[in-house]
Amino acid sequence: MMHPISIPFHRIPVAFLALLLTAGCGDEKTSSDTTPHDSGMKENDAQTGGQGGSAGTAAEGGAGGSDCSLQDKEAQTQSARNALREQVPCFSGSFAVDKNGGIHLSFFLSTDFNGPRALLCHTDSNVSVSKAHEQAASKALEGLDLSCLKGLYGIDIAGGACEQRDTLEELLAACPPWWEHVNEELGIVFDENGQAVSLKPAEGKPSEPEIETCVLDALAGKTFPCLANLEVCAGNPIP
């Protein structure tokens, strides 16, 4: 599980505090002192993004360009979000710019801490798919002027994967027993088209045929392209 690196609150520029928001998949927050990640991701795997750095943390030094106004930061943040939405609409998670201008991304589904959520299971295949999303997002941000965002951390992107997760959760309300396995790795396996095809218990756990039937019936005929080739478990986001 990933535990984000906390940055002392006093290091955030006063003007930038106006951008701090509490968000779900429908909204995005520009910065926070902790960035949630899916419960199943290993710390190193979840932190290593498209350019090999830690995502959602502040670099040493001042947050953002010292000569940048709040409006400059907002404009560059929106430019990055627009590029990601247009070029990699499924990408959900966060990005950060270090003090040298390096971009670091992390793909995950959760953007809040409001109880159990459908999150990425702790699997090697999820790590591989997440890295592919991060690499695509990294390319989408190439060439953008993000100089005013240097040192800022946890700029959230609530993209298609997060939005489709929300729809998935609404459908899974019909299967309370699946939610009872919170943090127990009872994964819903999605195929290359984003259709739920099976339920995969954690290694050493017995199968749950009744729960699998309920889940697959609830999701029958639905596709979640942004969740393709992923496994989704019930979990609690950890700050």
Side-chain angles (χ1 to χ4, degrees), residues 41-225:
M41 303 299 287
K42 296 179 182 177
E43 180 171 350
N44 290 338
D45 293 330
Q47 286 186 328
T48 302
Q51 296 188 19
S54 59
T57 63
E60 293 181 3
S66 59
D67 295 329
C68 294
S69 67
L70 179 61
Q71 290 72 27
D72 291 333
K73 295 175 184 178
E74 290 175 334
Q76 290 189 7
T77 298
Q78 192 58 47
S79 176
R81 284 178 172 151
N82 289 343
L84 292 171
R85 285 170 177 161
E86 292 170 4
Q87 299 180 49
V88 281
C90 283
F91 183 82
S92 296
S94 70
F95 76 92
V97 184
D98 66 30
K99 65 180 180 179
N100 296 316
I103 300 171
H104 309 281
L105 298 112
S106 184
F107 176 81
F108 56 91
L109 302 182
S110 180
T111 53
D112 59 47
F113 305 100
N114 295 326
R117 305 302 307 261
L119 307 175
L120 298 181
C121 304
H122 187 179
T123 66
D124 290 340
S125 61
N126 275 354
V127 170
S128 177
V129 174
S130 295
K131 287 183 177 179
H133 281 288
E134 292 162 2
Q135 290 167 358
S138 179
K139 290 182 179 180
L141 297 180
E142 287 180 358
L144 293 182
D145 179 9
L146 303 178
S147 58
C148 291
L149 305 183
K150 290 181 179 180
L152 298 180
Y153 50 93
I155 300 177
D156 284 358
I157 302 296
C162 187
E163 293 166 359
Q164 289 179 20
R165 186 279 310 276
D166 286 353
T167 301
L168 177 72
E169 287 183 337
E170 292 175 4
L171 296 169
L172 290 175
C175 300
W178 183 76
W179 291 101
E180 293 172 4
H181 287 262
V182 63
N183 296 330
E184 293 181 11
E185 298 289 300
L186 186 58
I188 303 171
V189 179
F190 291 87
D191 65 15
E192 64 275 10
N193 298 312
Q195 184 170 9
V197 293
S198 64
L199 205 61
K200 182 179 178 181
E203 185 176 353
K205 296 283 186 177
S207 62
E208 302 276 0
E210 293 183 359
I211 300 178
E212 179 171 14
T213 297
C214 180
V215 167
L216 296 183
D217 285 350
L219 303 180
K222 307 293 183 181
T223 57
F224 305 85

